[in-house]
Amino acid sequence: MFSLKKIALSALLAVSAVAGAEAKDWSTIRIGVEAAYPPFNFIDSAQQIQGFDVDIAKAVCEKLKANCTFVAQDWDGIIPALQAGKFDAIFSSMTITDERKKVVDFSRAYYNTPSAFIAPKASALKDVSPEALKGKTLGAQSSTIQSSYLEANYPGFDMKLYPSQDEVNLDIVAGRIDALFVDKVVGMDWLKTADGACCEVVGPDIPIGSGIGAAVRKEDTDLRDAISTAINEIKADGTYDKINAKYFPFSIWMN
């Protein structure tokens, strides 16, 4: 007859065996990136995926001692592609929201920036309240916190949503929209270009969401936690600040 201790030990070994069988090997991690949202993620002249998100992901992978590969993915399909197993994590300036947390898990936030309206300088637009913008056509990238904000706060407005931020920018230059709504840092980066010289930030900064995090599948809680720990480590050892300074003259870290 087995003793209670032997029975308990057998049960523990059985549970351990199951857990071990289900544990995933994260020595290789595939990372999804939109690669069309400079300066956070973009394709450079050598056709390589670059940007702040990418550098942060590489630093995280170094802490995890993981071999990471990057996969370009259109924004509208980036969460479905994660869930389908095309990659294991998203490092692509994805804002942490309650709606997204219903379908994916997030690491701790690794940056936070406000959103802002941009309009042509010739419009002399200053007030961005719904009353002041009544009758205006507004634009934003689809499936973003900016598009959700416009839909919630500017109901009934003529609104155009686009697959990429580049397309939003092109339409404001062409005069097909009166104002666009975008992450302020992304917008400011575009204003420095020849096309962006047409326009300016108008109105106040508008904070939305709970910062930007890396997204993973709901079941991959071990990867989520490992990424969060690595983000804290690169901040503590100064790596994060060096990457931040490469792209911005101010800190975008979210405490």
Side-chain angles (χ1 to χ4, degrees), residues 226-244:
I227 290 172
S228 293
T229 297
I231 290 170
N232 287 332
E233 289 176 351
I234 65 171
K235 177 60 177 173
D237 70 11
T239 302
Y240 181 96
D241 291 341
K242 289 178 182 177
I243 296 171
N244 191 122

Side-chain angles (χ1 to χ4, degrees), residues 196-241:
C198 68
C199 302
E200 63 185 355
V201 172
V202 295
D205 291 353
I206 301 176
I208 312 173
S210 303
I212 304 298
V216 301
R217 288 178 289 272
K218 281 285 191 179
E219 64 267 26
D220 293 335
T221 54
D222 54 342
L223 179 59
R224 175 202 66 197
D225 294 343
I227 290 172
S228 293
T229 297
I231 290 170
N232 287 332
E233 289 176 351
I234 65 171
K235 177 60 177 173
D237 70 11
T239 302
Y240 181 96
D241 291 341

Side-chain angles (χ1 to χ4, degrees), residues 13 31 33 50 101 115 133 135 178 184 192 209 214 249:
L13 289 173
I31 296 173
V33 187
Q50 303 287 357
K101 285 195 288 187
S115 296
L133 292 180
D178 299 301
K184 186 176 181 179
K192 297 174 186 175

Side-chain angles (χ1 to χ4, degrees), residues 75-87 90:
W75 181 255
D76 282 347
I78 203 165
I79 287 180
L82 171 71
Q83 293 171 321
K86 186 174 180 180
F87 34 80
I90 298 170

Side-chain angles (χ1 to χ4, degrees), residues 94-170:
M94 182 170 284
T95 301
I96 302 166
T97 66
D98 290 339
E99 191 66 24
R100 287 174 177 155
K101 285 195 288 187
K102 294 175 183 177
V103 292
V104 296
D105 267 5
F106 284 96
S107 71
R108 68 143 296 154
Y110 62 90
Y111 84 82
N112 192 35
T113 51
S115 296
F117 282 93
I118 288 176
K121 294 174 181 176
S123 72
L125 185 66
K126 300 300 177 186
D127 187 351
V128 294
S129 67
E131 295 76 19
L133 292 180
K134 188 174 181 179
K136 304 290 187 184
T137 300
L138 307 179
Q141 185 177 3
S142 61
S143 302
T144 62
I145 57 166
Q146 287 80 24
S147 64
S148 297
Y149 181 90
L150 290 182
E151 289 167 343
N153 293 279
Y154 296 80
F157 272 63
D158 183 15
M159 197 174 302
K160 293 186 177 181
L161 303 180
Y162 303 79
S164 72
Q165 188 60 44
D166 283 344
E167 292 170 85
V168 189
N169 299 343
L170 286 171

